[in-house]
């Protein structure tokens, strides 16, 4: 056989392999960006290749194309900016017409539904891509007035489904522009409307109402995590025992629905961050007050599971919201923990703390939160030398901290306080009061 034929075949194979690799990369890039089906991505790749094959480029022109993409993305006349404005203008018109008809939507129902669905899709795509293009438009005064009309619709008779989409739209807007939640949403009646939506759905949770409740809860959670003050009226509604009882009811009655329950727990944890004193914390007070009506076992077991996995579902930057909840639970002298926890719950929490102390570095600032919670548990006298199953492990951790030169000062003080109050945890070789 001619050697040249063999060489040509090898070249052809290399070319084919390289082409397959390029096309696969193109399709993967399109898919990772658009999350479209691979069939759609493949067809788009084919059209792009067909278009590019008709154009002859040199190396410099490829660089110019990249700059052209940047100019397109930064254009004040970007198609998404125009589309965004058109959609919220349509929604604003529907909102004002609805208000004139005594809060009944009438003939604008189809136009409103189509517009808010398209707006939700547009905003979701920008959030998925971490795109801030719309943030500069959201900050404009005329746009914020139009968005206020959009939020007003949550208080009108437009139906549960539309209420849910509207809440999700505002949730997405807050993700694109965090200042929007502080400057435009937290003082708006949409907060009270979200609370009403949740309360009126408690006895009628189905697929339609569930998505609406989840959207309302996510928006309230967004606002709570801004750490900005709420209007007195809204804050009173959020901390009202009737509203909180409805939240606990939803958690206990929907234990098999992970999405709904986790969203409810995120809301409770974010609200709980607002209260500094356990004795005055309406969440703790409500839990004790409704204990005979609602067991709250679903809530407690879910929180212990999160604690065991070292997961903070709201990813609070200043403190672990799950630990904060348990600190408040034990922080009133044992009243709340005695009402809600079994002895097995307390032992399990101590076991988790013991493991965390053993696994974490002595200089890890998170250990302070675990030690403080442990001190509260021991102070409540709910764990004794007879019921503690991790005495040896705790003693080993205490000894390691007290002997370490780089032990955090606060940790040393907490450990010494625990040993002073509970001498059954001390050992002869422990450097007490160092």
């Amino acid at each position: 056989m001619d050697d040249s034929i063999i060489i040509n075949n090898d070249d052809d194979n290399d070319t084919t392999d390289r082409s397959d690799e390029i096309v696969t990369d193109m399709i993967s890039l399109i898919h990772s960006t658009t999350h479209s089906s691979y069939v759609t991505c493949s067809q788009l790749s084919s059209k792009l290749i067909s278009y590019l094959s008709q154009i002859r480029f040199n190396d410099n022109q490829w660089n110019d194309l990249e700059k052209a993409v940047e100019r397109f993305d930064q254009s004040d006349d970007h198609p998404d900016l125009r589309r965004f404005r058109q959609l919220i203008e349509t929604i604003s018109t529907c909102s004002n017409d609805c208000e004139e008809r005594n809060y009944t939507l009438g003939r604008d129902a189809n136009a409103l539904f189509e517009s808010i669905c398209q707006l939700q899709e547009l905003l979701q795509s920008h959030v998925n891509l971490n795109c801030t293009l719309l943030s500069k438009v959201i900050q404009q005064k005329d746009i914020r007035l139009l968005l206020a009309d959009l939020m007003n619709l949550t208080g009108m008779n437009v139906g549960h489904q539309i209420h849910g989409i509207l809440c999700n739209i505002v949730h997405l807007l807050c993700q694109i522009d965090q200042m929007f939640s502080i400057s435009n949403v937290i003082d708006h009646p949409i907060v009270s409307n979200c609370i009403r939506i949740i309360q009126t759905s408690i006895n009628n949770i189905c697929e339609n109402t569930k998505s609406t409740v989840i959207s309302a809860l996510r928006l309230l959670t967004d606002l709570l995590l801004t750490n900005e003050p709420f209007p007195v009226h809204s804050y009173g509604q959020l901390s009202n025992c009737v509203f909180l009882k409805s939240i606990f009811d939803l958690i206990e009655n929907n234990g098999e629905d992970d999405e709904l329950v986790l969203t409810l727990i995120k809301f409770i944890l974010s609200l709980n961050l607002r209260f500094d004193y356990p004795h005055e914390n309406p969440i703790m007070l409500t839990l004790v007050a409704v204990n005979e009506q609602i067991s709250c076992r679903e809530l407690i077991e879910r929180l212990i599971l999160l604690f065991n996995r070292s997961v903070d579902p709201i990813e609070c930057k200043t403190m672990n919201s799950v630990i904060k909840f348990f600190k408040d639970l034990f922080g009133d002298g044992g009243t709340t923990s005695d009402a809600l926890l079994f002895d097995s719950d307390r032992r399990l929490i101590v076991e988790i703390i013991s493991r965390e102390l053993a696994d974490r570095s002595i200089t890890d600032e998170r250990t302070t939160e675990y030690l403080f919670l442990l001190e509260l548990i021991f102070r409540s006298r709910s764990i004794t030398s007879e019921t503690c199953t991790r005495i040896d492990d705790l003693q080993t951790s205490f000894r390691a901290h007290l002997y370490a030169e780089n032990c955090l000062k606060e940790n040393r003080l907490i450990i010494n306080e625990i040993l002073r109050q509970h001498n059954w945890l001390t050992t002869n070789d422990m450097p007490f009061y160092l």
Side-chain angles (χ1 to χ4, degrees), residues 43-81:
Q43 290 179 352
L44 179 55
S45 297
S46 177
K47 290 181 179 180
L48 285 171
I49 292 169
S50 176
Y51 175 75
L52 292 173
S53 67
Q54 299 173 33
I55 306 172
R56 295 187 178 183
F57 286 111
N58 58 42
D59 291 342
N60 291 333
Q61 286 176 310
W62 280 110
N63 293 331
D64 290 339
L65 278 180
E66 290 183 7
K67 294 176 182 177
V69 172
E70 291 179 9
R71 289 195 298 273
F72 178 85
D73 285 341
Q74 296 170 5
S75 169
D76 290 335
D77 194 37
H78 193 286
D80 278 1
L81 296 179

Side-chain angles (χ1 to χ4, degrees), residues 362-380:
I362 287 174
T363 57
D364 186 345
E365 293 183 0
R366 286 291 187 187
T367 58
T368 304
E369 290 186 317
Y370 287 101
L371 284 169
F372 190 81
L373 174 57
L374 183 65
E375 197 272 329
L376 287 173
I377 295 171
F378 283 141
R379 191 192 302 172
S380 69

Side-chain angles (χ1 to χ4, degrees), residues 137-154:
V137 182
I138 295 171
Q139 294 166 6
Q140 296 174 7
K141 184 176 180 180
D142 61 327
I143 294 296
R144 296 203 168 193
L145 290 172
L146 295 173
L147 291 174
D149 290 337
L150 179 150
M151 291 190 289
N152 289 341
L153 281 164
T154 59

Side-chain angles (χ1 to χ4, degrees), residues 87-97 145-146 149-150:
L87 289 170
I88 61 173
E89 285 176 349
T90 300
I91 294 168
S92 173
T93 301
C94 292
S95 175
N96 291 324
D97 288 350
L145 290 172
L146 295 173
D149 290 337
L150 179 150

Side-chain angles (χ1 to χ4, degrees), residues 95-342:
S95 175
N96 291 324
D97 288 350
C98 183
E99 191 169 10
E100 289 177 5
R101 297 192 193 99
N102 198 23
Y103 304 110
T104 303
L105 198 55
R107 65 178 181 277
D108 291 332
N110 291 336
L112 175 63
F113 185 73
E114 290 176 5
S115 296
I116 63 171
C117 286
Q118 291 176 33
L119 179 58
Q120 179 179 235
E121 183 179 354
L122 175 65
L123 295 174
Q124 188 66 65
S125 66
H126 280 244
V127 169
N128 290 343
L129 296 172
N130 295 316
C131 177
T132 59
L133 172 69
L134 292 172
S135 61
K136 57 185 178 183
V137 182
I138 295 171
Q139 294 166 6
Q140 296 174 7
K141 184 176 180 180
D142 61 327
I143 294 296
R144 296 203 168 193
L145 290 172
L146 295 173
L147 291 174
D149 290 337
L150 179 150
M151 291 190 289
N152 289 341
L153 281 164
T154 59
M156 301 182 190
N157 184 25
V158 294
H160 267 292
Q161 187 177 11
I162 289 180
H163 283 156
I165 299 172
L166 290 167
C167 289
N168 192 46
I169 284 172
V170 180
H171 164 68
L172 294 170
L173 288 167
C174 293
Q175 289 186 287
I176 293 171
D177 178 14
Q178 293 183 351
M179 287 304 298
F180 179 69
S181 59
I182 298 171
S183 60
N184 283 68
V185 184
I186 206 164
D187 292 330
H188 191 276
I190 193 172
V191 176
S192 296
N193 293 335
C194 284
I195 294 170
R196 176 185 50 78
I197 287 168
I198 295 166
Q199 283 187 293
T200 55
S201 302
I202 185 171
N203 296 319
N204 185 31
I205 287 289
C206 58
E207 280 306 311
N208 287 338
T209 55
K210 186 187 89 168
S211 62
T212 300
V213 169
I214 287 175
S215 295
L217 285 164
R218 283 175 179 163
L219 178 55
L220 290 176
T221 302
D222 287 341
L223 300 177
L224 287 165
L225 291 176
T226 63
N227 208 29
E228 291 293 318
F230 280 79
V232 174
H233 176 66
S234 300
Y235 197 67
Q237 287 181 304
L238 286 167
S239 55
N240 180 271
C241 63
V242 176
F243 173 62
L244 291 174
K245 180 180 180 297
S246 68
I247 296 293
F248 299 139
D249 271 326
L250 284 170
I251 293 173
E252 296 308 308
N253 295 329
N254 295 276
E256 296 180 357
D257 193 324
D258 286 342
E259 183 184 16
L260 177 58
V261 171
L262 184 57
T263 306
L264 287 159
I265 288 175
K266 285 181 178 180
F267 167 75
I268 285 292
L269 291 175
S270 61
L271 178 60
N272 191 62
L273 292 174
R274 293 274 176 154
F275 308 115
D276 295 326
Y277 305 106
H279 291 87
E280 301 172 3
N281 186 333
I283 294 176
M284 300 301 143
L285 295 174
T286 302
L287 282 170
V288 173
V290 303
N291 184 50
E292 293 184 1
Q293 306 167 46
I294 309 171
S295 70
C296 293
R297 286 310 301 168
E298 186 70 30
L299 172 64
I300 297 300
E301 289 174 4
R302 293 264 188 168
L303 288 172
I304 291 176
L305 181 61
L306 291 170
F307 185 53
N308 186 40
R309 293 176 176 174
S310 299
V311 173
D312 183 356
I314 62 174
E315 299 178 349
C316 180
K317 295 179 180 179
T318 56
M319 67 179 73
N320 184 303
S321 67
V322 178
I323 295 179
K324 164 70 164 61
F325 188 93
F326 282 121
K327 283 162 65 176
D328 290 345
L329 207 62
F330 288 98
D332 61 356
T335 303
T336 309
S337 59
D338 287 348
L340 295 173
L341 299 180
F342 296 147

